[in-house]
Coordinates of all heavy atoms in Angstrom, one line a residue:
S723 N 20.6 -5.9 15.7 CA 20.4 -4.5 15.3 C 20.2 -4.4 13.8 O 20.9 -5.2 13.1 CB 21.6 -3.7 15.8 OG 22.8 -4.1 15.1
P724 N 19.4 -3.5 13.4 CA 19.1 -3.4 12.0 C 20.3 -2.8 11.3 O 21.1 -2.0 11.7 CB 17.9 -2.4 12.0 CG 17.9 -1.7 13.2 CD 18.5 -2.6 14.3
Q725 N 20.4 -3.1 9.9 CA 21.4 -2.7 9.1 C 21.2 -1.3 8.7 O 22.1 -0.5 8.4 CB 21.6 -3.6 8.0 CG 22.1 -5.0 8.3 CD 22.1 -6.0 7.1 OE1 22.0 -5.6 6.0 NE2 22.3 -7.3 7.4
L726 N 19.9 -0.9 8.5 CA 19.7 0.4 8.0 C 19.5 1.4 9.2 O 18.8 1.1 10.2 CB 18.3 0.3 7.2 CG 18.3 -0.3 5.9 CD1 16.8 -0.2 5.3 CD2 19.2 0.4 4.9
A727 N 20.2 2.4 9.1 CA 20.1 3.5 10.1 C 19.1 4.4 9.9 O 19.2 5.6 9.8 CB 21.4 4.1 10.3
C728 N 17.8 3.9 9.5 CA 16.8 4.9 9.2 C 15.4 4.1 9.5 O 15.4 3.1 10.0 CB 16.7 5.2 7.7 SG 16.5 3.7 6.6
E729 N 14.4 4.9 9.4 CA 13.0 4.4 9.7 C 12.3 3.9 8.4 O 11.1 4.1 8.5 CB 12.3 5.4 10.4 CG 12.9 5.7 11.7 CD 12.1 6.8 12.6 OE1 11.1 7.1 12.2 OE2 12.8 7.2 13.7
C730 N 12.9 3.5 7.5 CA 12.3 3.2 6.1 C 11.2 2.0 6.3 O 10.2 2.1 5.7 CB 13.3 2.6 5.1 SG 14.2 4.0 4.4
P731 N 11.4 1.1 7.2 CA 10.3 0.1 7.3 C 9.0 0.7 7.8 O 8.0 0.3 7.3 CB 10.9 -1.0 8.3 CG 12.5 -0.9 8.1 CD 12.7 0.5 7.8
Q732 N 9.3 1.5 8.8 CA 7.9 2.2 9.4 C 7.3 3.1 8.3 O 6.0 3.1 8.3 CB 8.3 2.9 10.7 CG 8.7 2.0 11.8 CD 10.2 1.7 11.9 OE1 11.0 2.1 11.0 NE2 10.5 1.0 12.8
H733 N 8.2 3.9 7.6 CA 7.6 4.7 6.6 C 6.9 4.0 5.5 O 5.8 4.3 5.1 CB 8.7 5.6 6.0 CG 9.1 6.7 7.0 ND1 8.3 7.8 7.4 CD2 10.2 6.9 7.8 CE1 8.9 8.5 8.2 NE2 10.2 8.0 8.5
L734 N 7.6 2.9 5.1 CA 7.0 2.1 3.9 C 5.7 1.5 4.4 O 4.7 1.4 3.7 CB 8.0 1.0 3.5 CG 7.7 0.3 2.3 CD1 7.6 1.2 1.1 CD2 9.0 -0.6 2.0
A735 N 5.6 0.9 5.7 CA 4.4 0.4 6.2 C 3.3 1.4 6.3 O 2.1 1.1 5.9 CB 4.6 -0.2 7.5
S736 N 3.6 2.7 6.5 CA 2.6 3.8 6.6 C 2.1 4.1 5.2 O 0.9 4.3 5.0 CB 3.3 5.0 7.2 OG 2.4 6.1 7.1
V737 N 3.0 4.1 4.1 CA 2.6 4.3 2.9 C 1.6 3.2 2.4 O 0.5 3.5 1.8 CB 3.9 4.5 1.8 CG1 3.5 4.4 0.4 CG2 4.6 5.6 2.2
I738 N 2.0 1.9 2.7 CA 1.1 0.8 2.3 C -0.3 1.0 2.9 O -1.3 0.8 2.3 CB 1.7 -0.5 2.7 CG1 3.0 -0.7 1.8 CG2 0.8 -1.7 2.6 CD1 3.8 -1.9 2.3
E739 N -0.3 1.4 4.1 CA -1.7 1.6 4.8 C -2.4 2.7 4.2 O -3.7 2.7 4.0 CB -1.5 2.0 6.4 CG -1.0 0.9 7.1 CD -0.7 1.3 8.7 OE1 -0.5 2.5 8.9 OE2 -0.5 0.4 9.5
Q740 N -1.8 3.7 3.7 CA -2.5 4.9 3.0 C -3.0 4.4 1.7 O -4.1 4.7 1.2 CB -1.5 6.1 2.9 CG -1.3 6.8 4.1 CD -0.2 7.9 4.1 OE1 0.1 8.3 3.0 NE2 0.3 8.3 5.1
L741 N -2.2 3.6 1.0 CA -2.7 3.0 -0.3 C -3.8 2.1 -0.1 O -4.8 2.1 -0.8 CB -1.4 2.3 -1.0 CG -0.4 3.1 -1.6 CD1 0.8 2.2 -1.9 CD2 -0.9 3.9 -2.8
Q742 N -3.8 1.3 0.9 CA -4.9 0.5 1.2 C -6.2 1.3 1.5 O -7.3 0.9 1.0 CB -4.7 -0.4 2.5 CG -3.8 -1.5 2.3 CD -3.4 -2.3 3.6 OE1 -3.4 -1.6 4.7 NE2 -3.2 -3.6 3.5
A743 N -6.1 2.3 2.3 CA -7.2 3.2 2.5 C -7.8 3.8 1.3 O -9.1 3.9 1.0 CB -6.9 4.2 3.6
F744 N -6.9 4.3 0.3 CA -7.3 4.9 -0.9 C -7.9 3.9 -1.8 O -9.0 4.1 -2.5 CB -6.1 5.7 -1.6 CG -6.7 6.4 -2.8 CD1 -7.4 7.6 -2.6 CD2 -6.4 6.1 -4.1 CE1 -7.8 8.3 -3.7 CE2 -6.9 6.7 -5.1 CZ -7.6 7.8 -5.0
E745 N -7.4 2.6 -1.8 CA -8.0 1.6 -2.7 C -9.4 1.3 -2.2 O -10.3 1.2 -3.0 CB -7.1 0.4 -2.5 CG -7.5 -0.7 -3.4 CD -6.5 -2.0 -3.3 OE1 -5.6 -1.9 -2.3 OE2 -6.7 -3.0 -4.0
R746 N -9.6 1.2 -0.9 CA -10.9 0.9 -0.4 C -11.9 2.1 -0.7 O -13.1 1.9 -1.2 CB -10.9 0.7 1.1 CG -10.4 -0.6 1.5 CD -10.7 -0.9 3.0 NE -10.1 0.1 3.9 CZ -8.8 0.1 4.4 NH1 -8.1 -1.0 4.2 NH2 -8.4 1.0 5.1
Y747 N -11.4 3.3 -0.6 CA -12.2 4.4 -0.8 C -12.7 4.5 -2.3 O -13.7 4.8 -2.6 CB -11.4 5.8 -0.5 CG -12.0 7.1 -0.9 CD1 -13.1 7.6 -0.1 CD2 -11.7 7.7 -2.0 CE1 -13.7 8.7 -0.5 CE2 -12.3 8.9 -2.4 CZ -13.2 9.4 -1.6 OH -13.8 10.6 -2.1
S748 N -11.6 4.3 -3.2 CA -12.0 4.3 -4.6 C -12.9 3.3 -5.1 O -13.8 3.5 -5.9 CB -10.7 4.2 -5.4 OG -9.8 5.3 -5.2
A749 N -12.9 2.1 -4.4 CA -13.7 1.0 -4.7 C -15.2 1.3 -4.3 O -16.1 1.0 -4.9 CB -13.3 -0.3 -4.0
R750 N -15.3 2.0 -3.1 CA -16.6 2.5 -2.7 C -17.1 3.5 -3.6 O -18.4 3.6 -3.9 CB -16.5 3.0 -1.2 CG -16.5 2.1 -0.1 CD -16.8 2.6 1.2 NE -16.1 3.9 1.5 CZ -14.9 3.9 2.1 NH1 -14.3 2.8 2.5 NH2 -14.3 5.0 2.4
C751 N -16.3 4.4 -4.1 CA -16.8 5.5 -5.1 C -17.5 4.9 -6.4 O -18.2 5.4 -7.0 CB -15.7 6.4 -5.4 SG -15.3 7.5 -4.1
V752 N -16.9 3.7 -6.7 CA -17.5 3.0 -7.9 C -19.0 2.8 -7.7 O -19.8 3.1 -8.7 CB -16.9 1.6 -8.2 CG1 -17.5 0.9 -9.3 CG2 -15.3 1.8 -8.5
V753 N -19.4 2.5 -6.5 CA -20.8 2.3 -6.3 C -21.6 3.6 -6.0 O -22.6 3.8 -6.5 CB -21.0 1.3 -5.1 CG1 -22.5 1.1 -4.7 CG2 -20.4 -0.1 -5.5
E754 N -20.9 4.4 -5.2 CA -21.5 5.6 -4.7 C -21.5 6.7 -5.9 O -22.4 7.7 -5.8 CB -20.9 6.2 -3.5 CG -20.9 5.3 -2.4 CD -20.1 5.7 -1.1 OE1 -19.4 6.7 -1.3 OE2 -20.0 5.0 -0.3
Q755 N -20.7 6.7 -6.8 CA -20.6 7.7 -7.9 C -20.7 7.0 -9.2 O -19.8 6.9 -9.9 CB -19.3 8.5 -7.8 CG -19.1 9.2 -6.5 CD -20.1 10.3 -6.3 OE1 -20.5 10.9 -7.2 NE2 -20.5 10.5 -5.0
P756 N -21.9 6.4 -9.6 CA -22.0 5.6 -10.7 C -21.6 6.4 -12.0 O -21.0 5.7 -13.0 CB -23.4 5.2 -10.8 CG -24.0 5.9 -9.8 CD -23.1 6.5 -8.9
A757 N -21.6 7.7 -12.2 CA -21.3 8.4 -13.3 C -19.8 8.4 -13.6 O -19.3 8.4 -14.6 CB -21.8 9.8 -13.2
D758 N -19.1 8.2 -12.5 CA -17.6 8.2 -12.5 C -17.1 6.8 -12.2 O -15.9 6.6 -11.8 CB -17.0 9.2 -11.4 CG -17.4 10.6 -11.8 OD1 -17.6 11.0 -12.9 OD2 -17.6 11.3 -10.7
G759 N -17.9 5.8 -12.3 CA -17.5 4.4 -11.9 C -16.3 3.9 -12.6 O -15.5 3.3 -11.9
D760 N -16.2 4.1 -13.8 CA -15.1 3.6 -14.6 C -13.8 4.2 -14.1 O -12.8 3.6 -13.9 CB -15.1 3.8 -16.1 CG -16.2 3.0 -16.7 OD1 -16.7 2.0 -16.1 OD2 -16.7 3.3 -17.9
L761 N -13.8 5.5 -13.8 CA -12.5 6.2 -13.4 C -12.2 5.7 -12.0 O -11.0 5.4 -11.7 CB -12.7 7.7 -13.4 CG -11.5 8.5 -12.9 CD1 -10.3 8.3 -13.8 CD2 -11.9 10.0 -13.1
H762 N -13.2 5.6 -11.2 CA -13.0 5.1 -9.8 C -12.4 3.7 -9.7 O -11.6 3.2 -9.0 CB -14.2 5.3 -8.9 CG -14.4 6.7 -8.6 ND1 -15.3 7.5 -9.0 CD2 -13.7 7.5 -7.5 CE1 -15.2 8.7 -8.5 NE2 -14.3 8.7 -7.7
A763 N -12.9 2.8 -10.7 CA -12.6 1.5 -10.8 C -11.0 1.4 -11.1 O -10.2 0.6 -10.7 CB -13.4 0.7 -11.7
Q764 N -10.7 2.3 -12.1 CA -9.3 2.3 -12.6 C -8.4 2.8 -11.4 O -7.3 2.3 -11.2 CB -9.2 3.3 -13.8 CG -7.8 3.3 -14.3 CD -7.7 4.2 -15.5 OE1 -8.6 5.0 -15.9 NE2 -6.5 4.3 -16.2
M765 N -8.9 3.8 -10.7 CA -7.9 4.3 -9.6 C -7.8 3.2 -8.5 O -6.7 3.0 -8.0 CB -8.6 5.5 -8.9 CG -8.4 6.7 -9.8 SD -9.0 8.3 -9.0 CE -10.7 8.2 -8.7
A766 N -8.9 2.4 -8.2 CA -8.8 1.3 -7.2 C -7.8 0.3 -7.8 O -7.0 -0.3 -7.0 CB -10.2 0.7 -7.0
H767 N -7.9 0.0 -9.1 CA -7.0 -1.1 -9.7 C -5.7 -0.7 -9.6 O -4.7 -1.4 -9.2 CB -7.6 -1.4 -11.1 CG -6.6 -2.2 -11.8 ND1 -6.6 -3.7 -11.6 CD2 -5.7 -2.1 -12.7 CE1 -5.8 -4.2 -12.4 NE2 -5.1 -3.4 -13.1
V768 N -5.2 0.6 -10.1 CA -3.9 1.1 -10.1 C -3.4 1.1 -8.6 O -2.2 0.8 -8.4 CB -3.8 2.4 -10.9 CG1 -2.5 3.0 -10.7 CG2 -4.2 2.1 -12.3
T769 N -4.2 1.6 -7.7 CA -3.8 1.7 -6.4 C -3.6 0.3 -5.8 O -2.5 0.2 -5.1 CB -4.8 2.5 -5.5 OG1 -5.0 3.8 -6.0 CG2 -4.3 2.7 -4.0
G770 N -4.3 -0.7 -6.1 CA -4.0 -2.0 -5.7 C -2.8 -2.5 -6.2 O -2.0 -3.3 -5.5
W771 N -2.5 -2.2 -7.5 CA -1.2 -2.7 -8.1 C -0.1 -2.1 -7.3 O 0.9 -2.8 -7.1 CB -1.3 -2.3 -9.6 CG 0.1 -2.7 -10.2 CD1 0.5 -3.8 -10.8 CD2 1.2 -1.8 -10.3 NE1 1.7 -3.8 -11.3 CE2 2.2 -2.5 -11.1 CE3 1.5 -0.5 -10.0 CZ2 3.4 -2.0 -11.4 CZ3 2.7 0.0 -10.3 CH2 3.7 -0.7 -11.0
A772 N -0.1 -0.8 -7.1 CA 0.9 -0.1 -6.4 C 1.1 -0.6 -5.0 O 2.3 -0.8 -4.6 CB 0.6 1.5 -6.4
R773 N 0.0 -0.9 -4.4 CA 0.1 -1.5 -2.9 C 0.8 -2.7 -3.0 O 1.7 -3.0 -2.1 CB -1.3 -1.5 -2.4 CG -1.3 -2.2 -1.0 CD -2.7 -2.6 -0.5 NE -3.5 -3.3 -1.4 CZ -3.4 -4.5 -2.0 NH1 -2.5 -5.3 -1.5 NH2 -4.2 -5.0 -3.0
A774 N 0.5 -3.6 -4.0 CA 1.0 -5.0 -4.0 C 2.6 -4.8 -4.2 O 3.3 -5.6 -3.7 CB 0.4 -5.8 -5.1
R775 N 2.9 -3.8 -5.1 CA 4.4 -3.8 -5.4 C 5.1 -3.2 -4.2 O 6.2 -3.7 -3.8 CB 4.7 -2.7 -6.5 CG 4.0 -3.2 -7.9 CD 4.5 -4.5 -8.4 NE 6.0 -4.6 -8.4 CZ 6.7 -5.6 -8.0 NH1 6.1 -6.7 -7.7 NH2 8.0 -5.6 -8.1
M776 N 4.4 -2.3 -3.4 CA 5.0 -1.7 -2.1 C 5.1 -2.9 -1.1 O 6.1 -2.8 -0.3 CB 4.2 -0.5 -1.7 CG 4.3 0.6 -2.6 SD 5.9 1.3 -2.9 CE 6.0 2.4 -1.5
E777 N 4.2 -3.7 -1.1 CA 4.2 -4.9 -0.1 C 5.3 -5.7 -0.4 O 6.1 -6.2 0.6 CB 2.9 -5.6 -0.1 CG 1.7 -4.8 0.5 CD 0.4 -5.5 0.3 OE1 0.2 -6.4 -0.5 OE2 -0.6 -5.0 1.1
A778 N 5.5 -6.0 -1.7 CA 6.7 -6.8 -2.1 C 8.0 -6.2 -1.7 O 8.9 -6.9 -1.2 CB 6.7 -7.1 -3.5
L779 N 8.1 -4.9 -1.9 CA 9.3 -4.2 -1.5 C 9.5 -4.2 0.1 O 10.6 -4.4 0.5 CB 9.2 -2.6 -2.0 CG 10.4 -1.8 -1.6 CD1 11.7 -2.4 -2.2 CD2 10.0 -0.4 -2.1
L780 N 8.4 -4.1 0.9 CA 8.5 -4.2 2.3 C 9.0 -5.6 2.6 O 9.8 -5.7 3.6 CB 7.2 -3.9 3.0 CG 7.2 -3.9 4.4 CD1 8.2 -2.9 5.1 CD2 5.8 -3.6 5.0
L781 N 8.5 -6.6 2.1 CA 9.1 -8.0 2.3 C 10.6 -8.1 2.1 O 11.2 -8.7 2.8 CB 8.2 -9.0 1.5 CG 6.8 -9.3 2.1 CD1 6.1 -10.2 1.1 CD2 6.8 -9.7 3.6
T782 N 11.0 -7.4 1.0 CA 12.4 -7.5 0.6 C 13.3 -6.8 1.7 O 14.3 -7.2 2.1 CB 12.6 -6.8 -0.8 OG1 11.9 -7.6 -1.8 CG2 14.1 -6.8 -1.2
L783 N 12.6 -5.6 2.0 CA 13.3 -4.8 3.1 C 13.5 -5.6 4.3 O 14.4 -5.6 5.1 CB 12.6 -3.5 3.3 CG 13.2 -2.5 4.4 CD1 14.6 -2.1 4.0 CD2 12.3 -1.2 4.4
C784 N 12.3 -6.3 4.7 CA 12.3 -6.9 6.0 C 13.3 -8.1 6.0 O 14.1 -8.4 7.0 CB 10.9 -7.6 6.2 SG 9.6 -6.4 6.8
A785 N 13.4 -8.8 4.8 CA 14.4 -9.9 4.7 C 15.9 -9.3 4.8 O 16.7 -9.9 5.5 CB 14.2 -10.6 3.4
H786 N 16.1 -8.1 4.3 CA 17.4 -7.5 4.3 C 17.7 -7.2 5.8 O 18.8 -7.3 6.2 CB 17.4 -6.3 3.4 CG 18.7 -5.4 3.5 ND1 19.9 -5.9 2.8 CD2 19.0 -4.3 4.2 CE1 20.8 -4.9 3.2 NE2 20.3 -4.0 3.9
E787 N 16.8 -6.7 6.5 CA 16.9 -6.2 7.9 C 16.8 -7.3 8.9 O 17.1 -7.1 10.2 CB 15.8 -5.2 8.2 CG 16.1 -3.8 7.5 CD 17.4 -3.2 8.0 OE1 17.4 -2.8 9.2 OE2 18.2 -2.9 7.1
G788 N 16.4 -8.5 8.5 CA 16.2 -9.6 9.5 C 14.9 -9.5 10.4 O 15.0 -9.9 11.5
I789 N 14.0 -8.7 9.8 CA 12.7 -8.5 10.4 C 11.8 -9.6 10.1 O 11.6 -9.9 8.8 CB 12.2 -7.1 10.1 CG1 13.1 -6.0 10.5 CG2 10.8 -6.9 10.7 CD1 12.8 -4.6 9.9
D790 N 11.1 -10.2 11.0 CA 10.0 -11.0 10.8 C 8.8 -10.3 10.4 O 8.1 -9.6 11.4 CB 9.8 -12.0 12.0 CG 8.7 -13.1 11.7 OD1 8.0 -13.1 10.6 OD2 8.4 -13.8 12.7
P791 N 8.3 -10.3 9.2 CA 7.1 -9.5 8.9 C 5.9 -10.1 9.6 O 4.8 -9.3 9.6 CB 6.9 -9.6 7.4 CG 7.7 -10.9 7.1 CD 8.8 -11.1 8.2
D792 N 5.9 -11.2 10.1 CA 4.6 -11.9 10.8 C 4.7 -11.5 12.3 O 3.8 -11.8 13.1 CB 4.5 -13.2 10.5 CG 4.3 -13.4 9.2 OD1 3.5 -12.7 8.5 OD2 4.9 -14.5 8.5
A793 N 5.7 -11.0 12.8 CA 5.9 -10.8 14.3 C 5.0 -9.4 14.6 O 4.9 -8.5 13.8 CB 7.4 -10.4 14.5
P794 N 4.4 -9.5 15.9 CA 3.6 -8.4 16.2 C 4.4 -7.0 16.5 O 5.5 -7.1 16.6 CB 3.0 -8.9 17.5 CG 3.6 -10.2 17.9 CD 4.5 -10.6 16.8

């Protein structure tokens, strides 16, 4: 049984999925909106950084909860 009596792992996974989607969207905008390319590139980069940090946090949470992050 999990130690946390909440749905944080599911919520965190959802946030990561949203960050991935925005990262991809921003990267596409670099090509589709050349006038704003630098700004979109910066948004994609910062979003990627945030996603990576959240993924690391999710792995820490999984370890704490005894959850196998590779399990289906």
Side-chain angles (χ1 to χ4, degrees):
S723 65
Q725 295 176 9
L726 291 178
C728 64
E729 296 182 12
C730 286
Q732 291 87 355
H733 287 290
L734 194 52
S736 176
V737 168
I738 291 168
E739 289 174 348
Q740 291 175 11
L741 286 169
Q742 286 174 328
F744 187 72
E745 185 179 6
R746 284 190 306 269
Y747 173 81
S748 296
R750 279 194 316 268
C751 284
V752 170
V753 175
E754 295 171 3
Q755 303 292 328
D758 300 325
D760 290 341
L761 180 58
H762 285 103
Q764 182 180 6
M765 287 191 291
H767 175 76
V768 171
T769 303
W771 177 87
R773 176 193 42 77
R775 299 303 308 142
M776 296 299 275
E777 288 172 345
L779 178 59
L780 181 57
L781 290 175
T782 300
L783 180 58
C784 285
H786 175 79
E787 288 292 300
I789 298 170
D790 179 0
D792 296 320

